[in-house]
Amino acid sequence: MLQFINVSKRYPGGADALKNVSFELQNGEMAFLTGHSGAGKSTLLKLIAILERSTQGQVMLDNQNIGRISKRNVPYARRKIGMIFQNHRLLYDHTVFDNVSLPLIIAGLDRHEIKRRVRAALDKVGLLGKEQRYPITLSGGEQQRIGIARAVVNRPPMILADEPTGNLDPELSEEIMHLFEQFNQVGVTVLIASHDVSLIQRIGYRTLRLSQGKMVDNHG
Amino acid sequence: MARRRSNIQKPAMSASLRAYLLIHLHTFFASLGRFSRTPFNFMMTVSVIAITLSLPSGLLVSINNLQSVSGQIDLNNNISVFLNQSVTLQRATELSALLQHDNKVSQAILIDKQAALEEFRQYSGFGSAISALGDNPLPHVIQITPIARIDNQANLALLVTELKKRPDIHLVQMDMGWLDRLNGILNIAQRGVSIITILLGFAVLLIVSNTIRLELQSRRDEIDITRLVGATRSFIMRPFLYSGFWYGFFGGIFACLLVNLSVWLIDEPTSSLASLYNSSFNLNYMPFAHAALWVGFSISLGVIGSWIVVSRYLSELES
């Protein structure tokens, strides 16, 4: 599903954010990405989301070299990835329904199909019945679930989560991780960036560890 | 997984087309709905556009009105032929009859000097002064109305030259010179309006650009998020282009309303002035076709101004 081949990323100004990183995620695999802040986690995720381009090497997503993809095709490549963020990145002046339906509206689905899929996604994250609420009226954990529902509503083959439990207490964090496991069980590839080492160890999945831009641990 | 994806990306053609049109329709009215939440800001921008565009469009309406004044005069451009003092009434009558038969003349009326003096005595208020004059100082005058066919300058000029060659004629006066000058001035004014239109068109473009730029900044997060979930460039641009459309649309409409309101305000004093000249002249409002053109012009400026800013903004964002 996802393959990094000798990927390096140097930002203008000289700092090497990633140095010769190689790894592979199989279809339907779930893995964690860890490392101290500044180790290159964000850069690695940005390369997958095509928010940045690699300086060297290849980033392959679904057998496509997304480092070389044309600007015009970037949006379509992004639709294969459901992205989840630490600060949720919701539209706070829109309802839960509007937030979750956004990827489907962009993809151009018809109204009934959108309604059906949004309800299904909200059902999965346990927010059914709160479609017309505004995100601000919901708790932090619930807001993160809106973000997750939005990421999966388009049924992408891969989910990418950047510190999804950063602002949540341990109990809520575990619930969120459990959600990811459920998506993984139906075949979705999941990559979660997190520095919550104890949580990662407790759940026990393959862990990719970055240190100063290098992949220092690549195993389960 | 492949099956799942094909589900998303290939809806039936007609359904996807319908969904596409629905998105357009939705964004179209959603952008209007957004304005209804900040009506004051919206009306400010629309007013600036309207006032800016009302200047060139108002000037154009004024010019059109002046042209219609000169056009009305055109229709009854008479030639006054003043005969020599020595010409007798009989000779004048013969000459008048002769001119009546000229194929370039539709009507030739003789105003004999005695009748002219009487009329002058009656209307000028110099009655006693004229009585004091022993002799009648006025010549016989033949008033010629050229036939309608000879409305072009060349034929008119030919008729005038022919008249001037006749021995009995002292002076041929055609009050066309000032009309030519007026038309000349109007031509200059028209050129001036074109220049003003271009300059103020740029002003409108900048007004819309700046407004859209502010809108972009306030919706930065929204743009970032829609980009992250796979929105294409055109999807992100669309609502802003529609915003530009609405600014232009309402700006153009209000500009036309402003101009017509001004015409309405000036019309009454104008027609009372015209009535002093025995004319039933009324000001013309902006014709519908012109109004439609102005609104179209305004809409184009709105959309183009918006497009410039948004595409620049997105190009900076794109990796």
Side-chain angles (χ1 to χ4, degrees):
Chain A
M1 183 70 219
L2 177 71
Q3 195 179 9
F4 272 55
I5 306 165
N6 303 322
V7 175
S8 295
K9 171 66 186 175
R10 171 175 289 183
Y11 286 107
D16 277 322
L18 289 180
K19 291 172 202 158
N20 208 21
V21 171
S22 297
F23 71 93
E24 190 174 355
L25 278 185
Q26 297 298 326
N27 256 345
E29 200 178 347
M30 175 154 159
F32 285 94
L33 178 67
T34 69
H36 296 293
S37 29
K41 294 200 298 285
S42 301
T43 302
L44 195 146
L45 295 182
K46 279 180 182 166
L47 290 178
I48 303 172
I50 328 178
L51 292 169
E52 296 286 351
R53 308 268 188 164
S54 62
T55 327
Q56 267 173 30
Q58 295 178 326
V59 181
M60 307 290 293
L61 180 74
D62 213 9
N63 296 320
Q64 190 178 21
N65 184 352
I66 57 172
R68 293 278 163 271
I69 206 167
S70 72
K71 280 183 189 176
R72 230 168 55 82
N73 285 322
V74 166
Y76 302 101
R78 277 192 193 133
R79 291 179 196 176
K80 293 179 184 169
I81 309 164
M83 271 179 272
I84 294 147
F85 310 91
Q86 179 175 6
N87 53 4
H88 321 317
R89 310 215 64 167
L90 302 175
L91 301 171
Y92 287 97
D93 53 349
H94 287 70
T95 61
V96 170
F97 182 90
D98 288 350
N99 268 283
V100 176
S101 63
L102 188 61
L104 302 178
I105 291 171
I106 288 169
L109 268 65
D110 76 76
R111 215 151 34 98
H112 296 289
E113 183 68 8
I114 289 176
K115 236 178 198 169
R116 202 177 64 74
R117 289 210 196 171
V118 169
R119 284 177 62 84
L122 285 175
D123 191 24
K124 258 181 234 157
V125 301
L127 285 178
L128 202 58
K130 297 191 172 167
E131 289 98 321
Q132 295 312 317
R133 298 275 289 272
Y134 282 85
I136 208 74
T137 68
L138 301 176
S139 72
E142 285 173 318
Q143 289 184 27
Q144 190 55 288
R145 286 160 189 267
I146 302 171
I148 294 171
R150 183 182 65 192
V152 299
V153 76
N154 211 5
R155 299 177 192 166
M158 177 160 186
I159 290 177
L160 207 59
D162 187 6
E163 303 283 359
T165 62
N167 294 328
L168 303 178
D169 60 48
E171 205 176 320
L172 279 174
S173 300
E174 207 139 342
E175 274 180 37
I176 297 285
M177 289 303 175
H178 186 59
L179 264 178
F180 287 131
E181 285 182 297
Q182 284 178 357
F183 292 122
N184 180 239
Q185 278 158 17
V186 294
V188 181
T189 311
V190 182
L191 180 63
I192 304 166
S194 173
H195 58 251
D196 193 344
V197 182
S198 63
L199 179 69
I200 294 167
Q201 281 171 348
R202 211 160 49 243
I203 306 176
Y205 280 93
R206 179 180 167 199
T207 305
L208 309 165
R209 198 154 67 83
L210 279 172
S211 176
Q212 294 178 333
K214 285 182 183 157
M215 187 68 77
V216 291
D217 193 355
N218 188 353
H219 308 288
Chain B
M1 208 176 315
R3 185 173 48 90
R4 267 210 311 240
R5 234 178 311 130
S6 68
N7 233 355
I8 306 162
Q9 288 177 343
K10 284 176 192 137
M13 193 54 207
S14 65
S16 81
L17 183 68
R18 210 181 54 192
Y20 179 77
L21 290 177
L22 269 175
I23 289 178
H24 261 279
L25 213 62
H26 179 259
T27 339
F28 190 62
F29 289 108
S31 57
L32 199 59
R34 220 171 17 251
F35 293 138
S36 72
R37 287 197 287 277
T38 53
F40 183 72
N41 291 345
F42 178 64
M43 280 317 294
M44 283 228 293
T45 305
V46 165
S47 305
V48 175
I49 296 171
I51 292 166
T52 310
L53 285 182
S54 68
L55 183 59
S57 55
L59 283 173
L60 205 64
V61 168
S62 314
I63 290 176
N64 286 343
N65 271 304
L66 285 171
Q67 269 170 343
S68 81
V69 171
S70 72
Q72 280 187 352
I73 293 166
D74 245 334
L75 289 176
N76 44 30
N77 53 40
N78 288 331
I79 300 172
S80 299
V81 179
F82 296 88
L83 305 182
N84 288 326
Q85 273 290 353
S86 57
V87 175
T88 62
L89 181 59
Q90 194 197 350
R91 176 77 192 107
T93 315
E94 282 168 20
L95 189 58
S96 171
L98 195 69
L99 288 174
Q100 179 71 69
H101 286 105
D102 191 311
N103 62 359
K104 292 189 281 300
V105 173
S106 129
Q107 199 176 25
I109 302 167
L110 174 69
I111 303 166
D112 75 81
K113 55 168 127 182
Q114 206 51 45
L117 188 68
E118 282 307 314
E119 194 179 330
F120 191 60
R121 197 197 300 276
Q122 214 168 344
Y123 291 110
S124 69
F126 293 117
S128 48
I130 290 165
S131 300
L133 294 167
D135 266 352
N136 183 353
L138 299 176
H140 296 297
V141 176
I142 301 172
Q143 194 104 48
I144 294 175
T145 309
I147 57 165
R149 183 159 52 79
I150 323 177
D151 47 4
N152 66 59
Q153 298 288 341
N155 269 337
L156 220 51
L158 182 66
L159 179 57
V160 171
T161 343
E162 278 174 19
L163 288 168
K164 277 181 177 164
K165 275 184 199 151
R166 290 178 182 277
D168 295 330
I169 289 172
H170 175 64
L171 177 71
V172 179
Q173 192 178 9
M174 186 176 55
D175 249 358
M176 294 296 288
W178 71 273
L179 211 57
D180 288 343
R181 284 193 287 276
L182 176 64
N183 280 327
I185 292 168
L186 289 178
N187 281 341
I188 294 172
Q190 219 152 24
R191 196 60 65 84
V193 168
S194 306
I195 294 169
I196 290 175
T197 305
I198 291 169
L199 285 178
L200 292 182
F202 269 112
V204 169
L205 206 67
L206 294 178
I207 293 163
V208 174
S209 299
N210 199 44
T211 309
I212 297 288
R213 197 176 53 81
L214 294 175
E215 206 178 307
L216 272 172
Q217 272 166 4
S218 71
R219 294 174 65 193
R220 218 195 166 93
D221 280 348
E222 194 178 334
I223 294 171
D224 281 350
I225 291 167
T226 44
R227 282 179 70 233
L228 284 172
V229 297
T232 55
R233 202 180 161 95
S234 56
F235 183 91
I236 298 170
M237 287 185 88
R238 211 171 289 143
F240 295 100
L241 295 185
Y242 281 134
S243 290
F245 173 91
W246 287 120
Y247 282 126
F249 178 74
F250 284 109
I253 294 237
F254 281 118
C256 295
L257 288 178
L258 276 178
V259 169
N260 280 333
L261 180 70
S262 310
V263 171
W264 182 71
L265 286 173
I266 301 172
D267 189 35
E268 209 229 288
T270 308
S271 42
S272 47
L273 177 68
S275 72
L276 294 178
Y277 291 89
N278 283 327
S279 157
S280 60
F281 177 73
N282 268 309
L283 284 178
N284 293 319
Y285 287 87
M286 184 189 281
F288 180 77
H290 285 200
L293 279 177
W294 279 107
V295 173
F297 178 57
S298 179
I299 289 173
S300 328
L301 290 175
V303 173
I304 293 169
S306 173
W307 185 85
I308 291 170
V309 175
V310 182
S311 61
R312 261 185 58 117
Y313 179 83
L314 289 181
S315 296
E316 281 168 20
L317 283 183
E318 270 167 8
S319 52

